[in-house]
Amino acid sequence: MSPKHPICTKTFTLNNGQEIPAVGLGTWLGSTSPSPSQATELHASLLKALSNGYRLIDTAQYYGIESIIGSAILASGIPRSEITVVTKFWGEWHHDPASALEKSLSSLGLGYIDIFLMHWPNAIRIEKDGRETNLGIDESPTFLETWKMMEGLVGPSCRGIGVSNFTEKTLQALIDGGAKILPCVNQVELHAFNPNLKLVPWSKERGIHTMSWSTLGGFYPGVENEIFTHPLFKSIAAAHDCAVSVVSLSWAVQRGITIIPKSNSDARVAENIRLVDLSEDEMEKMNNAHKTIKQIHLVDWITAIRGKREDGTQLVMGWTKEDFGWEDKEGNWLP
């Protein structure tokens, strides 16, 4: 019996002329040092995903798996030119993105990278004793200084450059700072409870394409993921005879956003690329879920990057939410 819904082959055109698939595969395994069994499983999962029609793979140096990504792509038999590879460099390389690029090129072994992203706007300094120090928003290298160095990377081995976890505030700072090349992609947390209803169209008007991480809300200990359990999403899924996950993924792609869901299940991976067409009413309900159900920042639950000042101000990798542009001075949410 054939699947109920067709594979999504939609692509979006980036500001550098590249085409990027609407649906890709995320590869974060939850650890920066995957075990041998995780590596083997990931390699097999990647081959399966590519055979199921995926042509976009998203990864990062921080994930510790670039070599596995490259190996699987080479083993797939699919021409390299048909696969878009996105990877990201961590804050310790903000002073030298050229060396970060060489590191990823070596690990991937694919000859070139389609899109190379600055993983976060904030830099990290590695101290002599190996400790990491998060640098403040005005400390050098600033994200603007790093971006201007990245502009020189564009060429045969780095086809496009972009950013991740940027906001209207930080993107505007690049523009005001004299960026000669605008990011072709900005990859951000985006889901029904944090829909970025202003950022997405604002970015599109400036030629910056939005990619979404954690479109399905993520899974965190002790936290119910209502994107899978709330009646709103379940009722829309029932109406379309599809999995609940497909509702959120379809909603994002219909908004012009590239998605990169991940799953440990080959069946779910195959399911996640088969999208449905939501009605205007369903899209409106999804757009308003952050008002009618709840509003959350998933970064609040990622313990590895959270911190606090002595006065109790919450920090993410050493920056406040105002620094990032997620909130204003009064703590009000910026969409």
Side-chain angles (χ1 to χ4, degrees), residues 12-242:
F12 299 109
T13 303
L14 303 180
N15 62 21
N16 60 1
Q18 283 181 275
E19 295 290 320
I20 187 170
V23 184
L25 185 71
T27 59
W28 168 238
L29 298 179
S31 167
T32 58
S33 302
S35 67
S37 63
Q38 283 181 309
T40 300
E41 290 169 7
L42 175 61
H43 191 275
S45 178
L46 285 162
L47 289 176
K48 190 74 173 176
L50 290 166
S51 72
N52 278 322
Y54 282 80
R55 291 297 181 268
L56 165 63
I57 307 296
D58 176 82
T59 191
Q61 291 180 2
Y62 186 75
Y63 303 171
I65 55 172
E66 286 180 318
S67 61
I68 304 169
I69 302 295
S71 169
I73 289 173
L74 292 173
S76 72
I78 298 169
R80 171 68 182 90
S81 60
E82 294 182 13
I83 302 172
T84 299
V85 177
V86 178
T87 193
K88 320 172 197 69
F89 66 93
W90 201 241
E92 63 189 329
W93 292 104
H94 278 213
H95 69 292
D96 189 4
S99 292
L101 175 62
E102 291 304 316
K103 182 178 186 293
S104 284
L105 287 168
S106 176
S107 296
L108 288 162
L110 296 173
Y112 65 93
I113 292 167
D114 295 280
I115 306 173
F116 196 47
L117 306 183
M118 188 190 315
H119 204 149
W120 289 84
N122 45 313
I124 295 171
R125 182 175 62 238
I126 306 299
E127 307 295 355
K128 291 181 179 179
D129 61 3
R131 289 182 301 108
E132 294 185 354
T133 298
N134 293 313
L135 301 185
I137 189 169
D138 296 318
E139 291 186 86
S140 185
T142 64
F143 61 83
L144 176 59
E145 291 170 338
T146 299
W147 181 256
K148 289 186 175 182
M149 287 186 274
M150 288 176 67
E151 291 178 331
L153 304 180
V154 178
S157 62
C158 177
R159 305 292 172 86
I161 55 174
V163 294
S164 182
N165 299 302
F166 272 55
T167 60
E168 181 179 332
K169 174 184 177 178
T170 45
L171 289 171
Q172 188 64 54
L174 293 182
I175 297 169
D176 294 343
K180 295 178 181 178
I181 299 174
L182 287 183
C184 63
V185 157
N186 179 27
Q187 187 179 123
V188 297
E189 175 194 335
L190 187 149
H191 45 80
F193 303 141
N194 184 6
N196 285 287
L197 294 178
K198 184 180 179 185
L199 177 64
V200 173
W202 183 93
S203 299
K204 185 177 181 179
E205 288 172 2
R206 289 153 182 79
I208 302 169
H209 181 63
T210 301
M211 289 181 71
S212 162
W213 61 261
S214 281
T215 319
L216 300 178
F219 294 91
Y220 300 89
V223 181
E224 180 187 2
N225 186 347
E226 291 188 79
I227 283 175
F228 283 84
T229 62
H230 193 277
L232 169 64
F233 310 111
K234 293 175 77 173
S235 64
I236 295 175
H240 291 272
D241 194 16
C242 67

